[in-house]
């Protein structure tokens, strides 16, 4: 769980403990394994009446719905195309993306600090592969949409992670 200024940090960085305050923002990020797939789920909650934080929570859902719509509308959409769509939508809403990707394949999360990292498991600018494809073993690829929006000026962010292809 992250709160306040720690919500701008990308995943994998463990922030110190802090007390949640009035008009704060909190991200709850869970990474359960549902055999054999590891998935991520994250939700952001705004407490109080801060309009910026409340708008961020609403915009996370709006962007998620739009990304899902873009994915479902184009059976050949690539990781690069979907990332560009999410980045554009975030910028139009006044947010910055807080990470270099906006999703990944289900399963064990590939390490992002590995030299020569293969980027096909991520929805990112370097992935020109169609997202609808088969994975090792012949199964259908399933994706986790991971949107992390940041307001660097005000020092807060939020995340929404959920399965991409499900309504």
């Amino acid at each position: 769980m992250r709160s306040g200024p720690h919500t701008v940090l990308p995943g994998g960085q463990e922030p110190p403990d802090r007390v949640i305050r009035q008009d704060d923002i909190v991200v709850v990020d869970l990474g359960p394994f549902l055999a054999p797939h590891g998935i991520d789920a994250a939700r952001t909650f705004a407490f109080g009446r801060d309009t910026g934080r409340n708008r961020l929570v609403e915009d996370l859902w709006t962007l998620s719905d739009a990304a899902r719509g873009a994915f479902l509308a184009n059976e050949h959409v690539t990781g690069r195309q979907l990332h560009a769509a999410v980045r554009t939508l975030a910028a139009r809403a006044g947010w910055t993306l807080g990470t270099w990707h906006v999703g990944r394949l289900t399963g064990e999360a590939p390490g992002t600090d590995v030299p020569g990292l293969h980027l096909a498991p991520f929805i990112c600018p370097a992935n020109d592969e169609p997202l609808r494809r088969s994975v090792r073993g012949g199964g259908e690829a399933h994706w986790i949409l991971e949107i992390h929006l940041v307001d660097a000026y005000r020092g807060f962010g939020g995340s929404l992670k959920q399965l991409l292809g499900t309504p």
Side-chain angles (χ1 to χ4, degrees):
M1 182 169 71
R2 298 167 189 263
S3 64
H6 300 148
T7 59
V8 301
L9 298 173
Q13 293 183 14
E14 290 302 317
D17 290 342
R18 92 180 264 284
V19 174
I20 297 170
R21 295 176 166 69
Q22 184 176 346
D23 287 330
D24 217 338
I25 193 159
V26 174
V27 176
V28 178
D29 192 342
L30 305 172
F33 269 87
L34 301 173
H37 296 285
I39 62 168
D40 276 335
R43 298 293 185 268
T44 299
F45 303 92
F47 297 97
R49 296 181 182 179
D50 183 273
T51 56
R53 287 170 174 78
N54 284 296
R55 186 173 68 82
L56 181 135
V57 172
E58 291 175 21
D59 286 351
L60 283 165
W61 287 102
T62 300
L63 266 68
S64 177
D65 289 345
R68 177 175 285 113
F71 174 77
L72 295 174
N74 179 356
E75 71 179 64
H76 302 290
V77 69
T78 66
R80 176 188 308 265
Q81 292 167 328
L82 191 56
H83 185 276
V86 172
R87 185 181 58 238
T88 298
L89 290 164
R92 284 184 189 153
W95 305 107
T96 302
L97 290 179
T99 57
W100 58 274
H101 68 87
V102 296
R104 65 172 179 83
L105 282 169
T106 61
E108 188 171 341
T112 57
D113 57 352
V114 178
L117 173 68
H118 181 62
L119 296 174
F122 295 96
I123 303 171
C124 67
N127 183 358
D128 283 322
E129 293 188 34
L131 298 178
R132 285 197 183 81
R133 62 178 186 250
S134 296
V135 293
R136 255 184 292 173
E140 177 185 348
H142 295 282
W143 295 89
I144 301 165
L145 183 64
E146 300 183 2
I147 299 177
H148 182 208
L149 301 178
V150 171
D151 181 333
Y153 178 74
R154 291 192 58 208
F156 67 87
S159 296
L160 178 65
K161 298 179 186 180
Q162 61 186 4
L163 289 172
L164 176 60
T166 56

